[in-house]
């Protein structure tokens, strides 16, 4: 049983200019006292073709965690556009909010992000290059977050090694690539191959 459950996540200041910070209001429930902090991370997928363009926008430790309902705002700087291939700046990508305990990720919330150029342009030619990033607008599709939960052991290290195996890091990494493949292909959300996957409406996560 998970000792921490994310019960609500709201994307704030959305839509917004591409160069503005991301901001998430996160509500989570802690069922029992924890001996260590929670690590929250915001990850931006820079390219569907190459994970080396993924960027960690922010990572923070939150603790000590009181038992009960907790709420905080997680803010992160926008991605560094110099680390994104020019052809991948516009269009659909993914931003992820993850939470880990003792360096083991147990929940990942993924959102599709649509980046559009605000001024009209010839679609056959494309927008002017280089892009004027002050004219790019970011819209996080907050209505249907993709929630993936990974089983971890919340006890001591010996129990953890004997009773449970954490999902392989590469399998966890596949979560955002699958989201991008779905976006490019069917344009809808499908089933995941790892973790316990849930699609929730209106930012509610249970």
């Amino acid at each position: 049983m998970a000792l921490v459950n994310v019960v609500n996540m709201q994307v704030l200041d959305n839509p917004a200019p591409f160069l503005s910070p991301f901001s998430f209001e996160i509500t989570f429930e802690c069922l029992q006292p924890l001996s260590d902090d929670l690590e929250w991370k915001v990850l931006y997928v820079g390219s569907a073709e190459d994970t080396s363009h993924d960027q960690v926008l922010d990572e923070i430790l939150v603790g000590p965690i009181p038992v009960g309902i907790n709420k905080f705002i997680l803010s992160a700087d926008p991605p560094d556009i110099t680390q994104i291939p020019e052809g991948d700046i516009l269009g659909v990508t993914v931003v992820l909010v993850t939470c880990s305990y003792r360096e083991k990720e147990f929940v990942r919330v993924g959102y599709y992000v649509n980046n559009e150029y605000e001024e009209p342009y010839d679609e056959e030619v494309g927008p002017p290059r280089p892009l004027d990033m002050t004219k790019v607008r970011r819209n996080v599709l907050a209505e249907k977050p993709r929630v993936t939960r990974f089983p971890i052991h919340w006890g001591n290290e010996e129990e953890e090694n004997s009773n449970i195996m954490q999902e392989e890091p590469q399998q966890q990494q596949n979560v955002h690539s699958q989201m991008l493949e779905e976006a490019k292909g069917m344009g809808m959300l499908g089933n995941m191959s790892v973790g316990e996957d849930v699609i929730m409406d209106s930012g509610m996560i249970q």
Side-chain angles (χ1 to χ4, degrees):
M1 180 185 69
L3 298 187
V4 174
N5 295 304
V6 179
V7 296
N8 193 26
M9 190 175 296
Q10 299 285 339
V11 182
L12 306 179
D13 303 323
N14 182 58
F18 182 92
L19 297 177
S20 65
F22 284 93
S23 189
F24 303 91
E25 183 183 83
I26 301 171
T27 305
F28 65 94
E29 182 179 19
C30 181
L31 301 180
Q32 295 181 23
L34 301 177
S35 57
D36 292 289
D37 295 343
L38 297 176
E39 180 184 26
W40 295 86
K41 185 181 299 186
V42 180
L43 177 74
Y44 186 87
V45 178
S47 173
E49 311 299 331
D50 187 352
T51 58
S52 68
H53 295 291
D54 292 354
Q55 298 182 45
V56 176
L57 304 184
D58 199 7
E59 50 187 331
I60 63 170
L61 293 175
V62 177
I65 305 296
V67 173
I69 299 296
N70 300 271
K71 181 186 291 188
F72 73 104
I73 292 177
L74 175 59
S75 297
D77 291 335
D80 179 357
I81 61 169
T82 65
Q83 303 301 314
I84 303 174
E86 189 176 36
D88 290 323
I89 293 176
L90 299 180
V92 177
T93 187
V94 169
V95 65
L96 302 165
V97 179
T98 72
C99 190
S100 302
Y101 182 68
R102 293 179 174 173
E103 300 183 350
K104 291 181 171 55
E105 180 181 331
F106 63 90
V107 66
R108 173 175 292 201
V109 182
Y111 292 97
Y112 291 111
V113 180
N114 188 31
N115 297 312
E116 295 183 319
Y117 200 72
E118 289 190 296
E119 290 192 350
Y121 60 87
D122 186 336
E123 293 189 3
E124 293 186 359
V125 177
R129 306 286 182 175
L131 286 172
D132 181 350
M133 296 306 299
T134 64
K135 298 177 180 178
V136 177
R137 193 158 184 82
R138 178 186 74 220
N139 183 18
V140 179
L141 307 183
E143 293 79 12
K144 288 187 179 292
R146 166 63 65 82
V147 183
T148 306
R149 298 181 176 92
F150 302 99
I152 68 169
H153 201 287
W154 299 81
N156 61 46
E157 189 171 343
E158 290 183 1
E159 291 175 331
E160 177 183 319
N161 291 337
S162 62
N163 294 332
I164 193 166
M165 292 183 62
Q166 172 75 346
E167 297 286 349
E168 292 295 328
Q170 185 59 46
Q171 286 183 307
Q172 295 189 24
Q173 187 70 23
N174 286 341
V175 173
H176 65 64
S177 61
Q178 290 184 18
M179 288 182 68
L180 287 170
E181 286 302 316
E182 291 164 4
K184 291 193 298 182
M186 299 175 64
M188 60 186 293
L189 299 177
N191 293 326
M192 305 281 284
S193 63
V194 297
E196 176 194 351
D197 182 64
V198 185
I199 300 169
M200 295 296 178
D201 293 331
S202 303
M204 294 302 299
I205 304 168
Q206 299 177 349

